[in-house]
């Protein structure tokens, strides 16, 4: 830190992304990536776009927004594309939370919400999940803050029913409700169908998970025209060309290959069932997940110890040191072969450490 | 605008990027893009990276930062890569300007500085260029604000001498001085050589101009380790994976092909001389430029009129409505063929309108 840094950032604790090891034979189950390559159509379109990089990308992302609008049955005025969904989440904290209107989100959720609030100097309330690590919808009724809910939630994987989501939106007519649907393609029901009904709803999405494009950095928001205009104002005041041409092209390619996305999501769901069942057989408690990961703990080995022992053996999972969930590990669902290897190694760790 | 937008953004005027027409036969001389495709090495590396998009990019950009460090003869601790140079400029406004420490920049310069200041609620002083549209270094001595200087400046194209830049840095020891070197490869001398000497110097760069990668969105900052740590804190608190894998790969490819970059910059400089001379012959005043554009005016036709007439004829240049420079147009330097066509069309416009 230099002596020139603004006073207000001096205590800021940034987000810690999952480890990104380079090289070596590692089974990487720590950042909820897809184990499958992107669609051939995405790869081809991106490679084509690489040849024309001398020109700026279309700041309005017209073609990609139109593809999104068609797929989600909305108008392109309802769509904003961003540099990963982290960008649209940050924009939403900026646009819709103020000193007066703070933010509210669960105590156990995507760890970045807190950081977005901190950097934008927004006060926030962390609302405890219940004993089963579920969101209680009533806790959010009339809360008079901008609400951020990941659905399915992370790192638990638990999804709220669409009716519960609607009740939260309905009971906060004076505040924006942001539903972060990064994992929706693996379970749960999207709230996009409610966009026309509620002007205070913003649904955020990512191409990083079901569409195998974490490396491309592509996120999206779907909302009423007014909210999109607000977010667009932030975009045009910070980074109008936020999406590069290759990512834009890859996104268009991926959207044209819905079959591939669906098939991969189905495979992940099957592998999730396999993983869950095997973990239960090995004595784990596993939270029922609607996402591309499971959250599991074992009474006879600490979360930290299991994480370390797996890491020694070339398998990376994600452990969070936070008190309420420190017994757990979040395990991304990979290919069947990866999950078999993970189960085998986990059993070895248990044998050697219990 | 929705009723949910924070009060503080309600008066915000966003940046207006140059027009990005799609389709049609247009000679595009309005956004200072390179007329040459990116390096073959960049294209190849980006296409390779597209196949592995399912994995997150390296948030630390290690390989690219090392390439940059080697090229600019600094350590990788002195380098930060960003999603275009707009991102690092925004980070610098966030990190180094506060309510107390405002910003200072010329009245005629990159129009985004003002917007960055506005969105971050930073007060700023616009320091008038002299009568020849030059920066007077003395105006910035001991100004007690964070200084932003584009060198060469835009849209004038005039570069300050490195000694003048050093004097500005030296005379602001308590404040950061940001030198925005987007156009440095076309003239002027880089301030990177001063990094080790001044802990308050940040040099920002872009791959959009001389490296033909506007579509890839790649910017960089070079500074003392402390300033880079500060900017990194902002990055990790807003968007840790700010650079996608394809852009990162393309950047590494482009840096490995320095010959190509240099040869293209030489061609642009030659075409700039040609364009300047032809414009002068046609009665224009042309400011001596060190960038990949020229700024020119004609006594017998208004800037606005010339812009419109050229546009009608399929040539886009950039006109700024701002009072002090409204007689001018900024003309990006393209290929020799494009500039010949531009000169020919300009002469026709003059004949028909004077």
């Amino acid at each position: 830190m230099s002596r020139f840094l603004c006073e207000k950032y001096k205590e800021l604790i940034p987000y810690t992304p999952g480890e990104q090891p380079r090289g070596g034979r590692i089974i990487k189950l720590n950042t909820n990536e897809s184990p499958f390559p992107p669609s051939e159509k995405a790869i081809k379109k991106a490679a084509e776009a690489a040849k024309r990089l001398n020109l700026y990308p279309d700041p309005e992302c017209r073609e990609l927004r139109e593809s999104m609008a068609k797929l989600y049955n909305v108008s392109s005025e309802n769509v904003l594309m961003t540099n990963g969904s982290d960008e649209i989440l940050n924009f939403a904290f900026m646009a819709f939370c103020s000193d007066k209107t703070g933010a509210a989100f669960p105590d156990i959720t995507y760890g970045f919400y807190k950081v977005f609030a901190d950097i934008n100097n927004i006060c926030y309330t962390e609302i405890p999940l219940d004993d089963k690590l579920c969101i209680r919808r009533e806790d959010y009724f009339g809360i008079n803050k901008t609400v951020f809910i990941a659905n399915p939630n992370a790192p638990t994987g638990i999804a709220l029913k669409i009716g519960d989501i609607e009740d939260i939106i309905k009971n906060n007519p004076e505040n924006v409700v942001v539903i972060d649907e990064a994992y929706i393609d693996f379970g749960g029901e999207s709230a996009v169908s409610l966009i026309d009904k509620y002007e205070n709803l913003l649904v955020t999405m990512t191409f990083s998970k079901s569409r195998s494009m974490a490396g491309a950095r592509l996120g999206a928001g779907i909302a009423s025209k007014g909210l999109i205009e607000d977010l667009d104002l932030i975009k045009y005041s910070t980074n109008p060309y936020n999406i590069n041409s290759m990512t834009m092209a890859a996104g268009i390619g991926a959207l044209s290959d819905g079959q591939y996305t669906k098939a991969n999501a189905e495979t992940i769901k099957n592998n999730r069932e396999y993983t869950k069942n095997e973990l239960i057989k090995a004595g784990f408690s596993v939270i029922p997940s609607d996402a591309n990961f499971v959250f599991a703990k074992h009474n006879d080995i600490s979360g930290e110890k299991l994480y370390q022992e797996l890491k020694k053996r070339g398998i990376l999972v994600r452990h969070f040191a936070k008190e309420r969930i420190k017994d757990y590990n979040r395990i991304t669902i990979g290919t069947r072969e990866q999950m078999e290897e993970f189960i085998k190694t986990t059993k070895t760790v248990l044998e050697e450490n219990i």
Side-chain angles (χ1 to χ4, degrees), chain A:
Chain A
M1 195 183 292
S2 86
R3 64 191 173 92
F4 301 103
L5 182 66
C6 272
E7 203 57 40
K8 65 178 170 183
Y9 297 127
K10 287 195 169 151
E11 306 294 318
L12 188 64
I13 298 165
Y15 181 71
T16 310
E19 297 153 84
Q20 295 292 344
R22 287 290 170 268
R25 191 189 154 278
I26 277 177
I27 297 185
K28 201 168 167 302
L29 307 176
N30 69 328
T31 54
N32 301 340
E33 291 152 326
S34 169
F36 308 112
S39 156
E40 281 295 333
K41 293 180 183 176
I43 297 173
K44 206 177 148 199
K45 278 201 172 275
E48 277 302 312
K51 296 176 192 165
R52 299 182 302 273
L53 286 183
N54 51 312
L55 300 182
Y56 277 97
D58 173 16
E60 296 178 44
C61 290
R62 278 166 285 191
E63 197 182 341
L64 178 54
R65 276 168 56 227
E66 278 158 25
S67 299
M68 283 291 285
K70 213 170 155 188
L71 183 64
Y72 290 99
N73 200 23
V74 297
S75 149
S76 38
E77 287 173 337
N78 300 119
V79 181
L80 180 73
M81 305 306 300
T82 54
N83 183 31
S85 64
D86 285 340
E87 188 176 61
I88 197 159
L89 290 166
N90 189 35
F91 286 179
F93 273 90
M94 291 175 75
F96 307 127
C97 306
S98 66
D99 311 344
K100 278 172 281 177
T101 314
F105 40 82
D107 63 337
I108 308 294
T109 190
Y110 183 31
F112 217 140
Y113 296 159
K114 211 171 143 150
V115 183
F116 290 134
D118 281 338
I119 192 161
N120 292 302
N121 199 24
I122 293 156
C123 59
Y124 58 89
T125 310
E126 293 179 283
I127 301 180
L129 298 180
D130 70 14
D131 291 346
K132 288 178 172 166
L133 299 181
C134 290
I135 291 169
R136 264 187 310 245
R137 55 178 197 148
E138 294 83 0
D139 292 348
Y140 295 84
F141 289 179
I143 196 166
N144 205 21
K145 291 175 195 302
T146 303
V147 174
F148 290 81
I149 287 180
N151 193 47
N153 196 15
T156 62
I158 303 171
L160 272 180
K161 292 208 177 66
I162 185 77
D164 294 337
I165 295 280
E166 184 165 4
D167 284 343
I168 293 173
I169 301 164
K170 211 187 287 180
N171 283 287
N172 283 289
E174 297 309 314
N175 289 99
V176 173
V177 176
V178 179
I179 307 296
D180 175 353
E181 296 191 349
Y183 300 105
I184 199 76
D185 291 342
F186 304 104
E189 193 181 331
S190 175
V192 168
S193 58
L194 303 174
I195 291 297
D196 284 339
K197 216 164 149 188
Y198 301 100
E199 57 168 4
N200 62 327
L201 167 63
L202 168 65
V203 178
T204 65
M205 294 176 171
T206 179
F207 280 58
S208 295
K209 314 297 176 187
S210 63
R211 292 198 177 96
S212 298
M213 279 175 53
R217 314 310 304 125
L218 189 58
I222 301 192
S224 59
K225 191 180 164 216
L227 295 194
I228 295 296
E229 281 169 358
D230 298 342
L231 296 163
D232 232 16
L233 176 68
I234 307 286
K235 165 183 149 154
Y236 278 93
S237 304
T238 52
N239 207 352
Y241 297 108
N242 58 339
I243 320 244
N244 74 88
S245 333
M246 296 176 288
T247 292
M248 227 182 272
I252 293 164
L255 290 179
S256 74
D257 203 359
Q259 290 289 359
Y260 181 71
T261 304
K262 268 190 199 130
N264 285 341
E266 280 310 309
T267 307
I268 294 296
K269 286 193 218 175
N270 291 335
N271 296 349
R272 182 176 71 201
E273 280 312 290
Y274 162 80
T275 308
K276 186 185 78 178
N277 293 336
E278 291 299 314
L279 283 173
I280 290 172
K281 278 189 231 164
F284 281 84
S285 309
V286 186
I287 295 181
S289 168
D290 275 309
N292 67 339
F293 53 82
V294 291
F295 205 45
K297 67 170 177 177
H298 197 290
N299 282 337
D300 302 328
I301 187 167
S302 77
E304 170 74 19
K305 176 83 178 166
L306 178 61
Y307 160 77
Q308 292 293 358
E309 292 296 322
L310 285 170
K311 190 172 174 179
K312 270 188 213 163
R313 291 165 177 84
I315 298 183
L316 265 187
V317 298
R318 185 116 196 225
H319 179 256
F320 298 90
K322 203 167 180 167
E323 187 56 32
R324 258 191 105 177
I325 53 172
K326 69 177 176 21
D327 295 340
Y328 288 83
N329 276 291
R330 191 192 67 188
I331 303 130
T332 301
I333 303 299
T335 61
R336 181 63 177 250
E337 295 66 35
Q338 287 176 323
M339 300 327 289
E340 284 171 359
E341 183 76 20
F342 161 74
I343 291 292
K344 203 177 114 192
T345 310
T346 300
K347 284 180 181 163
T348 310
V349 170
L350 292 179
E351 280 160 22
E352 292 175 8
N353 288 277
I354 299 188

